[in-house]
Amino acid sequence: MLPTVPVPDKHVADYAETAGEEAVQRLVEAARPLRGLRLLQLNSTAFGGGVAELLATHVPLLNDLGIETTWAVLQGSDDYFAVTKAVHNALQGHPVEWTPQMAATYWERIVANAAEVPGDYDLYLVHDPQPAAVLRVLEEEGRRAGTWVWRCHIDLSSPHEPVWSFFEPLVNRYDAAIFTLPEFVRPGITGPRLAVIPPSIDPLSVKNRPISEETMHEVLAAFGIDPERPIITQVSRFDPWKDPLGVIDAYRLVRRNVPGLQLIMAGSLATDDPEGLAYLDRTEEHRAGDPDIHLLTNLQGVGDLEINAFQQAAAVIVQKSLREGFGLVVAEGMWKRKPVVGGNVGGIRLQIEDGVTGFLVEDVEGCARRVAQLLADPDLRARMGEAARERVRQRFLSLREIEDHLRLFSTLIGEARN
Ligand code: UDP
Protein backbone atom coordinates (compact mmCIF):
# COMPACT_ATOMS: atom_id res chain seq x y z
CA MET A 1 0.00 0.00 0.00
CA LEU A 2 1.19 3.54 -0.76
CA PRO A 3 1.89 5.77 2.25
CA THR A 4 -1.16 7.63 3.46
CA VAL A 5 -1.44 11.11 4.94
CA PRO A 6 -3.03 11.45 8.36
CA VAL A 7 -5.41 14.39 8.66
CA PRO A 8 -7.02 15.96 11.72
CA ASP A 9 -10.79 15.60 12.15
CA LYS A 10 -13.05 18.25 10.66
CA HIS A 11 -16.83 18.49 10.95
CA VAL A 12 -19.22 19.73 8.30
CA ALA A 13 -21.59 21.13 10.95
CA ASP A 14 -18.89 23.57 12.06
CA TYR A 15 -19.17 25.30 8.68
CA ALA A 16 -22.77 26.45 9.16
CA GLU A 17 -21.72 29.85 10.45
CA THR A 18 -19.56 30.78 7.45
CA ALA A 19 -21.24 28.84 4.65
CA GLY A 20 -24.84 28.89 5.95
CA GLU A 21 -27.04 26.17 7.43
CA GLU A 22 -28.62 25.54 4.04
CA ALA A 23 -25.27 24.72 2.42
CA VAL A 24 -24.55 22.24 5.22
CA GLN A 25 -27.93 20.55 4.76
CA ARG A 26 -27.54 20.37 0.98
CA LEU A 27 -24.16 18.73 1.38
CA VAL A 28 -25.41 16.19 3.92
CA GLU A 29 -28.26 15.31 1.54
CA ALA A 30 -25.88 14.96 -1.41
CA ALA A 31 -23.71 12.59 0.65
CA ARG A 32 -26.54 10.41 1.90
CA PRO A 33 -26.73 8.02 -1.08
CA LEU A 34 -22.95 7.69 -1.07
CA ARG A 35 -22.47 6.76 2.58
CA GLY A 36 -20.11 3.86 3.04
CA LEU A 37 -18.45 4.48 -0.32
CA ARG A 38 -14.70 3.91 -0.21
CA LEU A 39 -12.72 6.67 -1.91
CA LEU A 40 -8.97 6.78 -2.50
CA GLN A 41 -7.44 10.18 -3.31
CA LEU A 42 -4.02 9.94 -4.94
CA ASN A 43 -1.59 12.81 -5.46
CA SER A 44 2.16 13.38 -5.40
CA THR A 45 2.84 15.43 -2.27
CA ALA A 46 1.55 15.65 1.27
CA PHE A 47 2.81 19.20 1.59
CA GLY A 48 3.17 22.41 -0.43
CA GLY A 49 1.02 23.68 -3.25
CA GLY A 50 -2.69 23.83 -3.79
CA VAL A 51 -3.58 20.14 -4.13
CA ALA A 52 -2.21 19.21 -0.71
CA GLU A 53 -4.05 22.24 0.67
CA LEU A 54 -7.36 21.05 -0.79
CA LEU A 55 -6.96 17.46 0.33
CA ALA A 56 -6.19 18.48 3.90
CA THR A 57 -9.75 19.80 4.08
CA HIS A 58 -11.65 17.49 1.71
CA VAL A 59 -10.41 14.22 3.16
CA PRO A 60 -11.60 14.83 6.75
CA LEU A 61 -14.88 16.43 5.64
CA LEU A 62 -15.68 13.53 3.28
CA ASN A 63 -15.04 11.15 6.15
CA ASP A 64 -17.34 13.21 8.35
CA LEU A 65 -20.02 12.83 5.65
CA GLY A 66 -19.71 9.05 5.82
CA ILE A 67 -17.54 8.56 2.73
CA GLU A 68 -14.54 6.52 3.76
CA THR A 69 -11.75 8.55 2.24
CA THR A 70 -8.02 7.83 2.29
CA TRP A 71 -5.31 10.14 0.98
CA ALA A 72 -2.39 8.24 -0.55
CA VAL A 73 0.80 9.78 -1.89
CA LEU A 74 2.73 8.50 -4.85
CA GLN A 75 6.37 7.73 -4.09
CA GLY A 76 8.61 9.61 -6.50
CA SER A 77 12.36 10.09 -6.77
CA ASP A 78 14.49 13.13 -7.59
CA ASP A 79 14.66 12.09 -11.25
CA TYR A 80 10.96 11.39 -11.41
CA PHE A 81 10.02 14.76 -9.87
CA ALA A 82 12.41 16.53 -12.24
CA VAL A 83 10.50 14.88 -15.10
CA THR A 84 7.06 15.60 -13.68
CA LYS A 85 7.98 19.25 -13.06
CA ALA A 86 9.06 19.46 -16.71
CA VAL A 87 5.70 17.89 -17.58
CA HIS A 88 3.90 20.46 -15.44
CA ASN A 89 5.76 23.27 -17.20
CA ALA A 90 5.10 21.76 -20.63
CA LEU A 91 1.39 21.29 -19.97
CA GLN A 92 1.18 24.95 -18.98
CA GLY A 93 2.78 25.87 -22.33
CA HIS A 94 6.55 25.84 -21.87
CA PRO A 95 8.30 24.08 -24.78
CA VAL A 96 10.38 21.44 -23.01
CA GLU A 97 12.11 18.65 -24.86
CA TRP A 98 10.32 15.33 -24.22
CA THR A 99 12.87 12.54 -24.52
CA PRO A 100 12.50 8.74 -24.38
CA GLN A 101 14.66 8.86 -21.26
CA MET A 102 12.14 11.17 -19.55
CA ALA A 103 9.28 8.90 -20.49
CA ALA A 104 11.24 5.89 -19.16
CA THR A 105 11.89 7.66 -15.84
CA TYR A 106 8.20 8.45 -15.58
CA TRP A 107 7.08 4.89 -16.35
CA GLU A 108 9.58 3.31 -13.98
CA ARG A 109 8.03 5.08 -10.95
CA ILE A 110 4.47 4.67 -12.23
CA VAL A 111 4.83 0.90 -12.55
CA ALA A 112 6.39 0.66 -9.08
CA ASN A 113 3.59 2.78 -7.59
CA ALA A 114 0.80 0.99 -9.42
CA ALA A 115 1.89 -2.20 -7.66
CA GLU A 116 1.12 -0.46 -4.35
CA VAL A 117 -2.35 0.84 -5.25
CA PRO A 118 -4.95 -1.15 -3.30
CA GLY A 119 -7.76 -2.65 -5.35
CA ASP A 120 -10.52 -2.46 -2.76
CA TYR A 121 -11.83 1.09 -3.26
CA ASP A 122 -15.04 2.03 -5.08
CA LEU A 123 -13.71 5.27 -6.41
CA TYR A 124 -10.23 6.60 -7.20
CA LEU A 125 -9.65 10.33 -7.52
CA VAL A 126 -6.26 10.95 -9.11
CA HIS A 127 -4.79 14.46 -9.05
CA ASP A 128 -2.75 16.01 -11.86
CA PRO A 129 -0.35 14.38 -14.32
CA GLN A 130 2.15 12.93 -11.82
CA PRO A 131 0.12 9.79 -10.97
CA ALA A 132 -2.17 9.87 -14.04
CA ALA A 133 -0.68 6.82 -15.78
CA VAL A 134 -1.23 4.43 -12.85
CA LEU A 135 -4.62 3.51 -14.30
CA ARG A 136 -3.11 2.32 -17.55
CA VAL A 137 -0.70 0.01 -15.71
CA LEU A 138 -3.54 -1.47 -13.67
CA GLU A 139 -5.58 -2.01 -16.83
CA GLU A 140 -2.69 -3.71 -18.58
CA GLU A 141 -2.16 -5.96 -15.60
CA GLY A 142 -5.87 -6.77 -15.47
CA ARG A 143 -6.18 -5.21 -12.01
CA ARG A 144 -8.47 -2.27 -12.73
CA ALA A 145 -11.28 -2.07 -10.21
CA GLY A 146 -13.71 0.68 -9.29
CA THR A 147 -14.45 4.01 -10.92
CA TRP A 148 -11.58 6.33 -11.87
CA VAL A 149 -11.65 10.12 -11.96
CA TRP A 150 -8.79 12.37 -13.05
CA ARG A 151 -8.67 15.83 -11.50
CA CYS A 152 -6.65 18.37 -13.49
CA HIS A 153 -5.56 21.36 -11.40
CA ILE A 154 -3.31 23.01 -13.95
CA ASP A 155 -3.84 25.56 -16.69
CA LEU A 156 -4.18 23.35 -19.78
CA SER A 157 -5.24 26.20 -22.09
CA SER A 158 -2.18 25.93 -24.37
CA PRO A 159 -0.07 22.87 -23.62
CA HIS A 160 3.17 21.97 -25.39
CA GLU A 161 1.79 19.34 -27.78
CA PRO A 162 4.48 16.62 -27.63
CA VAL A 163 3.97 16.28 -23.89
CA TRP A 164 0.19 16.60 -24.03
CA SER A 165 0.00 13.89 -26.69
CA PHE A 166 1.79 11.57 -24.25
CA PHE A 167 -0.82 12.26 -21.55
CA GLU A 168 -3.98 12.49 -23.63
CA PRO A 169 -4.45 8.74 -24.17
CA LEU A 170 -3.74 8.15 -20.48
CA VAL A 171 -6.45 10.62 -19.47
CA ASN A 172 -8.89 9.17 -22.00
CA ARG A 173 -8.97 5.91 -20.02
CA TYR A 174 -10.65 7.56 -17.04
CA ASP A 175 -14.38 7.38 -16.35
CA ALA A 176 -14.49 11.10 -15.62
CA ALA A 177 -12.22 14.14 -15.68
CA ILE A 178 -12.61 17.32 -13.65
CA PHE A 179 -11.29 20.71 -14.76
CA THR A 180 -11.33 24.14 -13.16
CA LEU A 181 -12.44 25.97 -16.32
CA PRO A 182 -14.10 24.85 -19.57
CA GLU A 183 -11.19 26.29 -21.57
CA PHE A 184 -8.81 23.78 -19.94
CA VAL A 185 -10.64 20.84 -21.54
CA ARG A 186 -8.55 19.77 -24.56
CA PRO A 187 -10.56 18.82 -27.63
CA GLY A 188 -8.91 15.37 -27.68
CA ILE A 189 -10.39 14.40 -24.31
CA THR A 190 -13.24 12.32 -25.60
CA GLY A 191 -13.28 9.32 -23.24
CA PRO A 192 -14.22 10.54 -19.78
CA ARG A 193 -17.40 12.24 -18.61
CA LEU A 194 -16.38 15.89 -18.15
CA ALA A 195 -17.03 18.09 -15.15
CA VAL A 196 -16.02 21.67 -14.43
CA ILE A 197 -15.52 22.25 -10.70
CA PRO A 198 -13.53 25.22 -9.39
CA PRO A 199 -11.46 24.69 -6.24
CA SER A 200 -12.16 26.32 -2.93
CA ILE A 201 -10.66 27.42 0.37
CA ASP A 202 -11.39 26.30 3.90
CA PRO A 203 -12.69 29.27 5.91
CA LEU A 204 -11.97 27.47 9.20
CA SER A 205 -8.38 26.49 8.51
CA VAL A 206 -5.52 28.06 10.43
CA LYS A 207 -4.62 29.82 7.21
CA ASN A 208 -8.01 31.42 6.67
CA ARG A 209 -9.71 31.95 9.99
CA PRO A 210 -9.65 35.42 11.55
CA ILE A 211 -6.61 36.24 13.67
CA SER A 212 -6.22 39.07 16.16
CA GLU A 213 -4.21 42.21 15.41
CA GLU A 214 -1.93 41.16 18.22
CA THR A 215 -1.14 37.78 16.66
CA MET A 216 -0.58 39.44 13.31
CA HIS A 217 1.85 41.92 14.84
CA GLU A 218 3.72 39.16 16.65
CA VAL A 219 4.22 37.31 13.38
CA LEU A 220 5.35 40.45 11.56
CA ALA A 221 7.77 41.29 14.37
CA ALA A 222 9.26 37.80 14.26
CA PHE A 223 10.19 38.35 10.62
CA GLY A 224 11.36 41.97 11.00
CA ILE A 225 8.42 43.44 9.06
CA ASP A 226 7.21 46.92 10.05
CA PRO A 227 3.42 47.00 10.60
CA GLU A 228 3.41 50.82 10.36
CA ARG A 229 4.54 50.90 6.73
CA PRO A 230 2.46 49.62 3.79
CA ILE A 231 2.85 45.98 2.80
CA ILE A 232 2.11 44.09 -0.40
CA THR A 233 2.13 40.30 -0.29
CA GLN A 234 2.46 37.49 -2.80
CA VAL A 235 2.26 33.93 -1.44
CA SER A 236 3.47 31.37 -3.98
CA ARG A 237 5.83 28.52 -4.62
CA PHE A 238 9.07 29.85 -6.16
CA ASP A 239 8.17 29.00 -9.70
CA PRO A 240 8.55 30.93 -12.96
CA TRP A 241 4.76 30.73 -13.59
CA LYS A 242 4.21 32.77 -10.42
CA ASP A 243 6.59 35.43 -11.81
CA PRO A 244 8.35 36.41 -8.56
CA LEU A 245 10.90 38.45 -10.51
CA GLY A 246 8.08 40.42 -12.13
CA VAL A 247 6.55 41.04 -8.70
CA ILE A 248 9.85 42.55 -7.52
CA ASP A 249 9.98 44.75 -10.62
CA ALA A 250 6.42 45.96 -10.01
CA TYR A 251 7.23 46.66 -6.33
CA ARG A 252 10.24 48.73 -7.41
CA LEU A 253 8.09 50.82 -9.75
CA VAL A 254 5.54 51.47 -7.00
CA ARG A 255 8.22 52.24 -4.44
CA ARG A 256 9.39 55.25 -6.43
CA ASN A 257 6.27 57.02 -5.14
CA VAL A 258 5.73 55.02 -1.94
CA PRO A 259 9.20 54.95 -0.41
CA GLY A 260 8.25 53.00 2.73
CA LEU A 261 6.64 50.13 0.82
CA GLN A 262 7.48 46.58 1.89
CA LEU A 263 7.07 43.39 -0.15
CA ILE A 264 6.47 39.99 1.43
CA MET A 265 7.02 37.02 -0.84
CA ALA A 266 6.33 33.80 0.99
CA GLY A 267 6.71 30.45 -0.68
CA SER A 268 6.85 26.92 0.61
CA LEU A 269 9.21 24.47 -1.01
CA ALA A 270 6.99 21.57 -2.05
CA THR A 271 8.45 18.07 -2.03
CA ASP A 272 7.34 17.45 -5.61
CA ASP A 273 8.83 20.71 -6.94
CA PRO A 274 12.61 20.33 -7.40
CA GLU A 275 12.91 23.75 -9.12
CA GLY A 276 11.86 25.58 -5.97
CA LEU A 277 15.28 26.09 -4.40
CA ALA A 278 16.97 27.16 -7.62
CA TYR A 279 14.20 29.65 -8.35
CA LEU A 280 14.35 30.95 -4.81
CA ASP A 281 18.07 31.64 -5.41
CA ARG A 282 17.26 33.55 -8.59
CA THR A 283 14.65 35.58 -6.74
CA GLU A 284 17.11 36.25 -3.92
CA GLU A 285 19.60 37.52 -6.49
CA HIS A 286 16.96 39.78 -8.00
CA ARG A 287 16.15 41.12 -4.53
CA ALA A 288 19.71 42.52 -4.54
CA GLY A 289 19.84 42.91 -0.77
CA ASP A 290 16.76 45.16 -0.48
CA PRO A 291 15.87 44.91 3.24
CA ASP A 292 12.22 45.74 2.51
CA ILE A 293 11.75 42.68 0.33
CA HIS A 294 11.08 39.73 2.63
CA LEU A 295 11.66 36.40 0.91
CA LEU A 296 10.37 33.81 3.32
CA THR A 297 9.83 30.05 3.18
CA ASN A 298 8.82 27.14 5.33
CA LEU A 299 12.55 26.69 6.01
CA GLN A 300 12.33 29.84 8.17
CA GLY A 301 9.25 28.57 9.95
CA VAL A 302 6.56 30.03 7.70
CA GLY A 303 3.49 27.87 8.27
CA ASP A 304 -0.24 28.41 7.91
CA LEU A 305 -0.52 30.97 10.71
CA GLU A 306 2.30 33.03 9.24
CA ILE A 307 0.72 32.94 5.76
CA ASN A 308 -2.54 34.06 7.33
CA ALA A 309 -0.76 36.99 9.01
CA PHE A 310 1.12 38.00 5.84
CA GLN A 311 -2.11 38.06 3.85
CA GLN A 312 -3.99 39.84 6.62
CA ALA A 313 -1.25 42.47 6.98
CA ALA A 314 -1.22 43.38 3.29
CA ALA A 315 -2.83 46.54 1.97
CA VAL A 316 -2.89 44.81 -1.41
CA ILE A 317 -2.37 41.16 -2.35
CA VAL A 318 -0.57 40.42 -5.59
CA GLN A 319 -0.72 37.23 -7.66
CA LYS A 320 1.11 38.08 -10.84
CA SER A 321 0.97 34.59 -12.37
CA LEU A 322 1.68 34.02 -16.05
CA ARG A 323 -0.37 30.78 -16.02
CA GLU A 324 -2.63 29.64 -13.20
CA GLY A 325 -4.88 26.62 -12.80
CA PHE A 326 -6.87 28.37 -10.07
CA GLY A 327 -4.67 30.12 -7.54
CA LEU A 328 -5.99 29.32 -4.08
CA VAL A 329 -3.95 32.24 -2.78
CA VAL A 330 -6.23 34.63 -4.66
CA ALA A 331 -9.31 33.34 -2.84
CA GLU A 332 -7.35 33.32 0.43
CA GLY A 333 -6.57 37.02 0.01
CA MET A 334 -10.10 37.90 -1.10
CA TRP A 335 -11.58 36.06 1.87
CA LYS A 336 -9.48 38.32 4.10
CA ARG A 337 -11.20 41.31 2.46
CA LYS A 338 -8.16 42.25 0.41
CA PRO A 339 -8.21 43.62 -3.10
CA VAL A 340 -6.08 41.30 -5.24
CA VAL A 341 -4.08 42.42 -8.26
CA GLY A 342 -3.69 39.29 -10.35
CA GLY A 343 -2.37 38.20 -13.72
CA ASN A 344 -5.11 38.04 -16.34
CA VAL A 345 -4.79 34.27 -16.79
CA GLY A 346 -6.54 30.97 -16.09
CA GLY A 347 -8.28 30.55 -12.78
CA ILE A 348 -7.41 34.06 -11.59
CA ARG A 349 -9.91 35.38 -14.14
CA LEU A 350 -12.60 33.27 -12.56
CA GLN A 351 -12.01 34.84 -9.17
CA ILE A 352 -11.19 38.49 -9.76
CA GLU A 353 -13.93 40.57 -11.30
CA ASP A 354 -11.81 43.28 -12.85
CA GLY A 355 -12.48 46.63 -11.19
CA VAL A 356 -14.92 45.10 -8.67
CA THR A 357 -13.09 42.62 -6.44
CA GLY A 358 -9.58 43.55 -7.59
CA PHE A 359 -7.75 44.13 -10.83
CA LEU A 360 -6.56 41.88 -13.64
CA VAL A 361 -3.23 42.94 -15.12
CA GLU A 362 -1.20 42.04 -18.18
CA ASP A 363 2.35 43.03 -17.24
CA VAL A 364 4.72 44.56 -14.69
CA GLU A 365 3.70 48.15 -15.49
CA GLY A 366 -0.01 47.34 -15.25
CA CYS A 367 0.55 45.57 -11.97
CA ALA A 368 2.50 48.52 -10.55
CA ARG A 369 -0.16 50.99 -11.71
CA ARG A 370 -3.01 49.11 -10.02
CA VAL A 371 -1.08 48.48 -6.82
CA ALA A 372 -0.21 52.20 -6.62
CA GLN A 373 -3.84 53.17 -7.28
CA LEU A 374 -5.04 50.90 -4.47
CA LEU A 375 -2.37 52.04 -2.02
CA ALA A 376 -3.44 55.64 -2.61
CA ASP A 377 -7.16 54.97 -2.08
CA PRO A 378 -8.23 53.34 1.21
CA ASP A 379 -11.93 53.64 0.31
CA LEU A 380 -11.42 51.70 -2.91
CA ARG A 381 -9.47 49.05 -1.01
CA ALA A 382 -12.26 48.68 1.54
CA ARG A 383 -14.98 48.54 -1.13
CA MET A 384 -13.16 45.97 -3.25
CA GLY A 385 -12.22 43.97 -0.17
CA GLU A 386 -15.87 43.61 0.86
CA ALA A 387 -16.90 42.61 -2.67
CA ALA A 388 -14.03 40.11 -2.76
CA ARG A 389 -15.06 38.52 0.52
CA GLU A 390 -18.64 38.13 -0.70
CA ARG A 391 -17.57 36.57 -3.99
CA VAL A 392 -15.55 33.93 -2.15
CA ARG A 393 -18.41 33.32 0.29
CA GLN A 394 -20.76 32.64 -2.60
CA ARG A 395 -18.51 30.64 -4.89
CA PHE A 396 -15.21 29.46 -3.48
CA LEU A 397 -15.71 27.84 -0.07
CA SER A 398 -15.06 24.14 0.61
CA LEU A 399 -18.64 22.93 1.05
CA ARG A 400 -19.63 24.00 -2.46
CA GLU A 401 -16.68 22.19 -4.02
CA ILE A 402 -17.31 19.01 -2.05
CA GLU A 403 -20.99 19.10 -3.02
CA ASP A 404 -20.02 19.43 -6.70
CA HIS A 405 -17.80 16.37 -6.32
CA LEU A 406 -20.52 14.35 -4.63
CA ARG A 407 -22.98 15.09 -7.43
CA LEU A 408 -20.46 13.82 -9.95
CA PHE A 409 -19.70 10.75 -7.83
CA SER A 410 -23.41 9.93 -7.57
CA THR A 411 -23.80 10.05 -11.32
CA LEU A 412 -20.75 7.85 -11.84
CA ILE A 413 -21.67 5.31 -9.19
CA GLY A 414 -25.22 5.18 -10.56
CA GLU A 415 -23.83 4.51 -14.03
CA ALA A 416 -21.41 1.87 -12.72
CA ARG A 417 -24.30 0.01 -11.03
CA ASN A 418 -26.51 -0.01 -14.13
N1 UDP B 1 1.26 28.09 0.45
C1 UDP B 1 1.70 28.00 1.76
N2 UDP B 1 2.92 28.46 2.06
C2 UDP B 1 3.70 29.04 1.16
C3 UDP B 1 3.25 29.15 -0.19
C4 UDP B 1 2.02 28.64 -0.51
O1 UDP B 1 0.99 27.50 2.64
O2 UDP B 1 4.80 29.47 1.52
C5 UDP B 1 -0.09 27.62 0.14
C6 UDP B 1 -0.99 28.75 -0.27
O3 UDP B 1 -1.47 29.46 0.86
C7 UDP B 1 -2.07 28.01 -1.05
C8 UDP B 1 -1.28 26.89 -1.71
O4 UDP B 1 -0.09 26.73 -0.94
O5 UDP B 1 -3.02 27.48 -0.18
C9 UDP B 1 -0.90 27.24 -3.14
O6 UDP B 1 -1.99 26.99 -3.96
P1 UDP B 1 -2.20 27.75 -5.33
O7 UDP B 1 -3.43 27.18 -5.94
O8 UDP B 1 -2.21 29.23 -5.12
O9 UDP B 1 -0.91 27.43 -6.20
P2 UDP B 1 -0.13 26.07 -6.59
O10 UDP B 1 1.06 26.01 -5.68
O11 UDP B 1 -1.07 24.92 -6.42
O12 UDP B 1 0.29 26.30 -8.01
Side-chain angles (χ1 to χ4, degrees):
M1 171 66 182
L2 294 169
T4 59
V5 184
V7 286
D9 281 354
K10 288 182 190 271
H11 303 286
V12 171
D14 295 341
Y15 290 73
E17 205 182 316
T18 42
E21 186 58 46
E22 200 196 310
V24 170
Q25 282 316 319
R26 259 203 336 264
L27 183 58
V28 170
E29 284 308 313
R32 203 180 298 281
L34 296 169
R35 279 202 191 143
L37 187 88
R38 285 169 51 76
L39 166 63
L40 187 79
Q41 306 244 16
L42 176 60
N43 84 323
S44 62
T45 179
F47 170 78
V51 180
E53 185 78 18
L54 289 169
L55 291 178
T57 292
H58 291 196
V59 171
L61 288 180
L62 286 163
N63 277 301
D64 187 50
L65 288 162
I67 294 158
E68 291 175 33
T69 308
T70 306
W71 173 5
V73 177
L74 176 140
Q75 295 303 286
S77 62
D78 291 350
D79 286 352
Y80 168 86
F81 286 132
V83 168
T84 56
K85 187 65 202 288
V87 165
H88 175 90
N89 291 340
L91 294 183
Q92 297 213 119
H94 186 67
V96 301
E97 198 192 351
W98 183 242
T99 65
Q101 178 57 46
M102 291 165 86
T105 301
Y106 181 73
W107 281 117
E108 188 273 319
R109 282 284 82 210
I110 287 290
V111 170
N113 277 276
E116 303 294 323
V117 173
D120 56 344
Y121 283 82
D122 304 301
L123 194 64
Y124 295 81
L125 184 50
V126 178
H127 297 266
D128 277 343
Q130 294 93 330
V134 159
L135 176 58
R136 164 151 164 212
V137 175
L138 295 177
E139 284 184 345
E140 283 179 351
E141 294 176 355
R143 293 199 295 123
R144 184 200 215 266
T147 297
W148 285 70
V149 182
W150 186 60
R151 203 318 175 193
C152 175
H153 293 273
I154 58 184
D155 182 340
L156 259 192
S157 51
S158 52
H160 179 55
E161 278 303 326
V163 176
W164 174 243
S165 49
F166 175 86
F167 279 92
E168 190 176 86
L170 301 173
V171 168
N172 270 329
R173 292 167 181 266
Y174 280 78
D175 298 300
I178 306 174
F179 297 86
T180 296
L181 286 173
E183 53 262 44
F184 295 166
V185 183
R186 307 305 305 154
I189 305 180
T190 50
R193 169 183 285 276
L194 299 175
V196 173
I197 303 180
S200 60
I201 60 162
D202 182 346
L204 303 188
S205 67
V206 174
K207 181 172 289 167
N208 293 318
R209 66 186 176 216
I211 53 170
S212 67
E213 285 276 301
E214 196 187 341
T215 304
M216 185 181 86
H217 284 155
E218 276 168 18
V219 172
L220 294 181
F223 291 95
I225 300 160
D226 180 356
E228 302 302 325
R229 291 190 280 133
I231 295 168
I232 57 177
T233 297
Q234 174 162 305
V235 175
S236 279
R237 288 177 296 106
F238 287 94
D239 173 318
W241 300 111
K242 311 289 187 183
D243 199 15
L245 307 186
V247 174
I248 290 179
D249 292 340
Y251 151 87
R252 287 194 171 125
L253 287 177
V254 180
R255 214 177 127 101
R256 287 182 189 162
N257 296 319
V258 188
L261 187 64
Q262 303 167 93
L263 169 63
I264 302 176
M265 295 179 82
S268 56
L269 298 161
T271 49
D272 65 346
D273 183 355
E275 283 180 348
L277 262 184
Y279 214 71
L280 173 61
D281 286 347
R282 277 192 67 183
T283 312
E284 177 61 39
E285 218 171 89
H286 204 60
R287 182 174 83 98
D290 183 337
D292 284 329
I293 301 179
H294 299 271
L295 287 189
L296 302 168
T297 73
N298 51 314
L299 303 179
Q300 286 133 294
V302 174
D304 288 347
L305 176 69
E306 288 73 20
I307 296 292
N308 188 332
F310 297 155
Q311 290 169 332
Q312 187 63 46
V316 179
I317 302 258
V318 177
Q319 190 54 43
K320 214 199 127 335
S321 303
L322 305 172
R323 287 278 193 285
E324 192 62 76
F326 182 68
L328 289 176
V329 287
V330 174
E332 289 163 7
M334 290 169 69
W335 182 243
K336 297 178 180 87
R337 298 188 168 85
K338 304 294 169 180
V340 182
V341 176
N344 186 14
V345 292
I348 296 179
R349 281 208 284 252
L350 184 65
Q351 300 183 70
I352 297 180
E353 282 174 284
D354 192 29
V356 180
T357 62
F359 289 112
L360 293 169
V361 296
E362 306 293 337
D363 50 25
V364 167
E365 290 71 27
C367 179
R369 215 167 27 248
R370 290 309 194 182
V371 169
Q373 179 187 355
L374 284 161
L375 287 175
D377 190 342
D379 289 344
L380 180 63
R381 290 206 300 273
R383 216 167 44 243
M384 284 191 158
E386 278 308 322
R389 165 97 174 182
E390 184 54 22
R391 186 164 175 85
V392 173
R393 199 184 63 74
Q394 287 179 12
R395 300 179 57 160
F396 302 121
L397 295 182
S398 307
L399 297 202
R400 189 274 309 148
E401 188 189 5
I402 295 174
E403 188 185 335
D404 287 351
H405 277 92
L406 296 185
R407 298 205 185 283
L408 173 67
F409 296 166
S410 286
T411 308
L412 293 169
I413 297 297
E415 281 172 356
R417 283 186 186 140
N418 288 330

